[in-house]
Amino acid sequence: MGAEEVPSVPFSSNAMDNADYTDTELVHAVRKALASVQNGDTDDYSQLKTVMCHKDYSDFDAVANYDFDAVAQLETVLRILSVSVACIDVVHHEDLLRTIFGMSLWFQKPNVMDALVGLIISLAVISGKYLDPCLNMLISNFIQPNFKHEVSQTQLVKKKQEVLPRVHVALHKISYLIPLAPSKLVPILAQNMPSIYEKGPSVVTYVDNLLKLENSSIGKVVGSVILMMVMERMRDLDLEIGCDDILQDDSNRGMFDMELEDAVESTMNEGDEFPVGDLKQNTSGGNVVSELLDKLMVLFFDHLESCQNSGRLDEVFEILFQSFENYILNTYRSKFSQFLMFYACSLDPEYCGVRFASKLLDIYLSRNKPRLTRMSAVAYLASYLSRGKFLPASFVASMLKRLVDDCAEYCKTCNDDVKPEAHQVFYSGCQAILYVLCFQMRSILDIPRFQLQLTSLESILSHKLNPLMVCLPSVVSEFLKQAKAGGLFIVSEAFIFDDLHESELSRAFGGFERLDTFFPFDPCLLKMSSSYISPNFNFWLMEKTTYEEDDDDELCDEVIVNGDADSEEDCDDDVELDSEMNKMFVTPKHSFMQETERLLKMPSRIRPSTSPPESFLI
């Protein structure tokens, strides 16, 4: 006896609703409609496409507007197609496939989402020619679409909770069934990344889901690509925040004065640990970009915490540094994206914190690296050693010793007089040493053996290359002031400790601004990001210099932070403190300095990392 013949049921939308038809009969009807196309009979197939080309429905629509029959028909057809994928032909059913791959989960009800995801998984598994479009369809749902009607935050959160987990489950099922699938994701992830001109929530949603992929089994294959992709996008957004989008300060104030005065002017809310600056409102879109970058950085910070909790941070750090070296280290005007590295180091000082400084120093000391790369690396190193509260004094001292030894060796082989353009790398190293000591001198001098490691510094500064006349005057002035008070040098008469005036040689690079203004880890002004950075960040306000007394420091710090007039009257040394702060920087006195005034407009506390003008990129 042969198999029982299935009754022939013509495909129609009514057939999908007819309770008299069995599931087997409906499957047969759909498969017959698919097969009829090859025989030139397209009536049933056209009916099938009509059901597929439905109006998009979502939970945001009023219930009264639902066509429940159409939704049920669509769900039924999708479920039947998922068990009939062998009957779908890439040529004859091209328009049907185009409709399937163009459907968005965001506009479907949950039961339709499940049916559609099931179909996509079946198509991906049945044939390699469907794998790429299936993966692309799923990844495209990482992007939050624009809804026709206003959507409340509650509705949006609910929809995300319905859509995004289904996408991740589908990707992991496909990857499990087809081991090569994750490698196929690399170009698809890049292709679907929202444009740099897209400033809406879609970028945040997309990056959030990329990071979730990186933290999954799929990340073992595409994790490095994802991290680099995200860091590159953050760098691009960072570059869109121009100097005019940031609050500007008087260029005549010294870099240390600025941070102190800005702390006085800032209003601290109850529970705030440190005062945080802000980006100014404008109509150019800069503030929108800064808010977007702030959200993305917080996502990345949370991801790094997750990596630390799962024991993956060491592995992820190596990829981060590679991305940092490729996209940020030599980037012109990077202001905030570098703090991803700072936060990773603060989470794991013993490994990431040490590795970051060591890698930067190795780049600086490498004679095979480009000159500008070496200068960038040592500038990052100086700012990092100065600002990282999590770095022990012993480690900072060891890094300084290697810098001092290199500069001392350079002096032994060089007989030139002051030639800034000829010895830019050397002067950058010297300024890095001075800058770090402005922050760390007191902790270094407290340990005699740390001080002994800097014995060569005096010979470097007294060499006829005369780095004190080339480095940034406010750094030199603060360094000499602390060196005198702390007794850093035995022969202190070798240097001018008082009434230091800004030398023309300090700007002798003919517009080359990097040596003067490159302090990449000055306080971060992105509000949410700053809350992650501040607990592990050395603010100048909190630093103890060699010329300050402990008791007076505490009292005067209270005056500065709280701005209490009564407390100021109780601080006998407040006038003296103001006087000392004013000596940190000397107003430019030379007429030619006015030509570089534009370059000094941005306050040091937020001064972006900069590259030299194109004329120097030889």
Side-chain angles (χ1 to χ4, degrees):
M1 177 181 288
E4 182 179 354
E5 182 178 352
V6 177
S8 178
V9 178
F11 181 88
S12 68
S13 59
N14 292 330
M16 296 297 101
D17 297 329
N18 194 327
D20 295 333
Y21 293 134
T22 66
D23 291 344
T24 302
E25 290 173 335
L26 293 177
V27 170
H28 181 75
V30 171
R31 291 179 177 178
K32 181 180 178 181
L34 293 172
S36 65
V37 180
Q38 301 184 40
N39 301 325
D41 182 4
T42 60
D43 290 343
D44 289 350
Y45 180 65
S46 296
Q47 287 284 328
L48 176 63
K49 290 192 298 181
T50 300
V51 174
M52 294 292 296
C53 297
H54 73 300
K55 172 189 173 184
D56 284 332
Y57 294 95
S58 73
D59 292 337
F60 306 145
D61 297 321
V63 175
N65 295 331
Y66 278 153
D67 185 341
F68 289 99
D69 290 340
V71 173
Q73 291 169 8
L74 175 62
E75 179 188 356
T76 301
V77 169
L78 290 173
R79 293 191 184 280
I80 293 175
L81 287 175
S82 67
V83 296
S84 307
V85 289
C87 302
I88 300 177
D89 183 82
V90 69
V91 175
H92 293 94
H93 306 127
E94 179 182 2
D95 47 356
L96 176 65
L97 289 168
R98 188 183 306 112
T99 299
I100 294 171
F101 295 138
M103 294 179 70
S104 172
L105 296 175
W106 292 82
F107 296 106
Q108 311 301 334
K109 292 181 69 64
N111 53 337
V112 177
M113 291 184 201
D114 291 333
L116 178 56
V117 167
L119 174 57
I120 293 298
I121 294 174
S122 298
L123 283 170
V125 173
I126 193 67
S127 174
K129 57 178 172 284
Y130 297 135
L131 180 58
D132 282 2
C134 286
L135 293 175
N136 186 73
M137 181 271 182
L138 291 171
I139 295 299
S140 67
N141 278 277
F142 279 164
I143 301 176
Q144 176 183 319
N146 295 319
F147 297 100
K148 296 179 181 178
H149 307 290
E150 184 176 352
V151 178
S152 70
Q153 188 63 29
T154 301
Q155 290 174 318
L156 185 58
V157 169
K158 179 183 177 183
K159 181 58 68 174
K160 285 182 178 181
Q161 292 172 345
E162 293 174 346
V163 172
L164 299 175
R166 287 178 167 85
V167 175
H168 283 279
V169 169
L171 289 171
H172 282 87
K173 283 186 177 179
I174 293 173
S175 298
Y176 175 77
L177 296 170
I178 308 176
L180 292 179
S183 62
K184 292 275 192 176
L185 282 173
V186 173
I188 295 173
L189 293 173
Q191 176 185 341
N192 281 276
M193 173 69 83
S195 166
I196 185 63
Y197 302 107
E198 171 60 53
K199 304 302 189 297
S202 61
V203 182
V204 178
T205 304
Y206 192 77
V207 169
D208 184 26
N209 285 278
L210 286 186
L211 294 176
K212 289 177 181 177
L213 273 185
E214 194 282 330
N215 205 23
S216 69
S217 58
I218 294 176
K220 295 178 181 179
V221 179
V222 298
S224 60
V225 175
I226 288 175
L227 291 175
M228 291 186 180
M229 191 185 308
V230 173
M231 286 193 72
E232 183 179 17
R233 176 47 47 92
M234 290 185 181
R235 186 275 314 270
D236 294 342
L237 290 172
D238 195 342
L239 296 181
E240 286 203 17
I241 304 174
C243 298
D244 292 338
D245 300 323
I246 304 177
L247 288 176
Q248 312 230 337
D249 292 271
D250 183 0
S251 63
N252 289 337
R253 286 189 294 156
M255 53 179 291
F256 301 104
D257 303 283
M258 289 187 218
E259 199 169 320
L260 285 171
E261 292 175 23
D262 292 328
V264 176
E265 295 169 1
S266 298
T267 300
M268 297 181 67
N269 297 324
E270 184 177 355
D272 287 348
E273 184 173 359
F274 295 105
V276 177
D278 198 0
L279 303 177
K280 69 180 182 181
Q281 301 286 339
N282 59 67
T283 58
S284 65
N287 198 53
V288 174
V289 178
S290 69
E291 290 177 356
L292 175 59
L293 179 59
D294 200 9
K295 293 177 182 178
L296 294 181
M297 290 187 65
V298 168
L299 284 178
F300 212 117
F301 290 156
D302 290 339
H303 181 69
L304 291 175
E305 291 180 2
S306 176
C307 292
Q308 182 195 32
N309 294 335
S310 61
R312 298 180 54 240
L313 186 58
D314 294 357
E315 168 193 343
V316 168
F317 173 81
E318 299 301 326
I319 303 172
L320 285 182
F321 187 85
Q322 183 181 350
S323 303
F324 167 81
E325 190 172 5
N326 290 342
Y327 300 124
I328 298 176
L329 180 59
N330 287 316
T331 295
Y332 178 69
R333 302 172 78 83
S334 175
K335 294 167 284 296
F336 306 115
S337 50
Q338 58 265 28
F339 279 97
L340 296 174
M341 296 303 302
F342 188 96
Y343 189 66
C345 293
S346 70
L347 291 175
D348 185 1
E350 293 184 0
Y351 181 82
C352 300
V354 170
R355 289 283 288 170
F356 185 56
S358 299
K359 284 175 174 287
L360 289 172
L361 184 56
D362 289 342
I363 292 174
Y364 171 72
L365 297 178
S366 174
R367 301 300 189 261
N368 297 323
K369 295 289 185 179
R371 168 177 53 87
L372 296 180
T373 300
R374 295 176 65 191
M375 295 173 66
S376 290
V378 79
Y380 267 99
L381 177 63
S383 193
Y384 173 67
L385 294 177
S386 301
R387 298 296 191 169
K389 185 186 294 187
F390 47 86
L391 297 174
S394 57
F395 179 71
V396 175
S398 66
M399 291 289 103
L400 283 175
K401 182 181 185 302
R402 292 182 63 187
L403 279 174
V404 169
D405 290 348
D406 181 76
C407 291
E409 190 64 28
Y410 189 89
C411 289
K412 291 178 183 178
T413 61
C414 181
N415 294 318
D416 280 350
D417 293 325
V418 181
K419 292 183 180 179
E421 293 183 5
H423 307 287
Q424 292 176 359
V425 175
F426 165 76
Y427 287 124
S428 295
C430 292
Q431 177 160 293
I433 295 169
L434 303 186
Y435 184 76
V436 174
L437 287 174
C438 287
F439 283 82
Q440 304 284 1
M441 189 179 298
R442 184 161 182 164
S443 61
I444 296 294
L445 296 184
D446 283 345
I447 310 296
R449 63 185 177 89
F450 293 167
Q451 183 175 354
L452 288 175
Q453 294 176 349
L454 304 179
T455 53
S456 299
L457 181 57
E458 183 172 356
S459 63
I460 296 171
L461 300 182
S462 59
H463 190 276
K464 57 184 181 178
L465 284 171
N466 205 345
L468 292 180
M469 300 299 287
V470 177
C471 296
L472 183 63
S474 54
V475 173
V476 173
S477 178
E478 175 64 19
F479 163 76
L480 291 179
K481 187 175 180 180
Q482 291 202 44
K484 178 181 180 181
L488 177 61
F489 302 117
I490 298 176
V491 187
S492 60
E493 291 78 6
F495 307 102
I496 304 174
F497 288 97
D498 297 309
D499 300 324
L500 179 72
H501 294 287
E502 183 167 18
S503 168
E504 292 188 5
L505 287 174
S506 66
R507 305 293 178 181
F509 285 165
F512 183 79
E513 57 181 293
R514 169 166 295 189
L515 188 63
D516 291 3
T517 64
F518 191 43
F519 303 106
F521 290 121
D522 279 347
C524 178
L525 291 187
L526 299 179
K527 286 187 174 179
M528 291 188 294
S529 298
S530 181
S531 67
Y532 286 75
I533 298 298
S534 294
N536 295 293
F537 189 85
N538 283 328
F539 289 85
W540 180 249
L541 172 68
M542 314 303 293
E543 289 301 311
K544 302 297 183 182
T545 63
T546 59
Y547 51 78
E548 291 175 328
E549 296 295 333
D550 289 338
D551 293 339
D552 291 340
D553 287 347
E554 295 177 3
L555 184 56
C556 291
D557 282 349
E558 181 180 352
V559 172
I560 292 176
V561 174
N562 296 329
D564 188 331
D566 294 334
S567 296
E568 287 187 27
E569 294 176 359
D570 295 334
C571 181
D572 296 333
D573 297 327
D574 59 340
V575 177
E576 180 180 353
L577 175 63
D578 291 338
S579 176
E580 293 299 322
M581 291 297 102
N582 290 333
K583 292 180 182 178
M584 288 183 185
F585 186 79
V586 180
T587 304
K589 294 177 170 54
H590 304 287
S591 59
F592 80 95
M593 284 300 298
Q594 297 175 357
E595 299 176 6
T596 60
E597 183 178 1
R598 177 182 60 83
L599 301 177
L600 299 175
K601 290 286 186 181
M602 181 171 293
S604 174
R605 66 184 176 90
I606 53 174
R607 196 170 291 154
S609 51
T610 56
S611 293
E614 292 183 0
S615 59
F616 284 91
L617 299 178
I618 300 174

